[in-house]
Amino acid sequence: MDYRLQGARVLELPKRSAIADLIEAIQQGFRFEVFTVLCSRYGAPRQLLADTIGVSQSTLNQRERDGRFNEPESDRLLRVAGLYGVAESVVRDRAMAIDWMHTPNRGLGGHTPLAYAKSETGAREVEYLLGRIAHGIVA
């Protein structure tokens, strides 16, 4: 359950040869439309998603004008998209996945999975928790 490949699927990135091409796309910076797709697909408010990827409102406005995110921002967008995708695949329902990502979780110290996804370490913990759920282990 690799969240990076799930993220590529969620963001509707062109089908290419897996990780190497995904890295190239991140290095070039994702088009601003991938942010819009993510907000729309998962009903995430723009500001909540911007906060999760560490982008201020003024930076988000600048990215929208420029039409592209930089490399670190693109990497963080992929991380969040991937976790939404993994959650959706585990619970097999988009509305339930959205609810799960936005609801405080005891396994994450009372934080929401989306809040944990602000860091790579937190995202890995969310991914681990989803893996436990997928395998029927009490999480």
Side-chain angles (χ1 to χ4, degrees):
M1 214 181 320
D2 188 322
Y3 77 83
R4 296 165 301 177
L5 296 177
Q6 283 284 354
R9 182 189 58 77
V10 165
L11 295 175
E12 300 174 1
L13 297 174
K15 300 281 188 236
R16 303 197 298 180
S17 64
I19 297 298
D21 288 332
L22 187 53
I23 290 169
E24 183 180 325
I26 290 167
Q27 289 171 339
Q28 292 173 1
F30 290 157
R31 294 179 333 275
F32 188 82
E33 291 79 30
V34 300
F35 180 86
T36 305
V37 166
L38 189 57
C39 287
S40 174
R41 183 175 182 136
Y42 291 103
R46 285 172 53 111
Q47 192 56 54
L48 177 63
L49 187 55
D51 289 345
T52 303
I53 65 168
V55 172
S56 69
Q57 184 60 51
S58 61
T59 300
L60 184 65
N61 293 340
Q62 184 64 47
R63 298 299 180 257
E64 188 169 19
R65 282 191 298 277
D66 295 345
R68 201 166 278 285
F69 286 93
N70 66 26
E71 183 177 349
E73 295 159 351
S74 297
D75 194 47
R76 292 188 301 261
L77 266 171
L78 177 68
R79 177 171 66 214
V80 172
L83 290 174
Y84 272 115
V86 172
E88 186 176 351
S89 109
V90 167
V91 301
R92 293 186 173 31
D93 180 85
R94 184 173 298 160
M96 287 177 61
I98 293 167
D99 187 53
W100 189 86
M101 288 290 290
H102 296 200
T103 300
N105 189 296
R106 195 170 20 146
L108 302 173
H111 298 280
T112 67
L114 193 58
Y116 246 54
K118 289 182 179 182
S119 71
E120 179 64 25
T121 301
R124 290 292 180 179
E125 189 62 24
V126 172
E127 185 178 34
Y128 172 73
L129 185 58
L130 284 164
R132 290 175 51 94
I133 292 168
H135 289 93
I137 301 169
V138 177

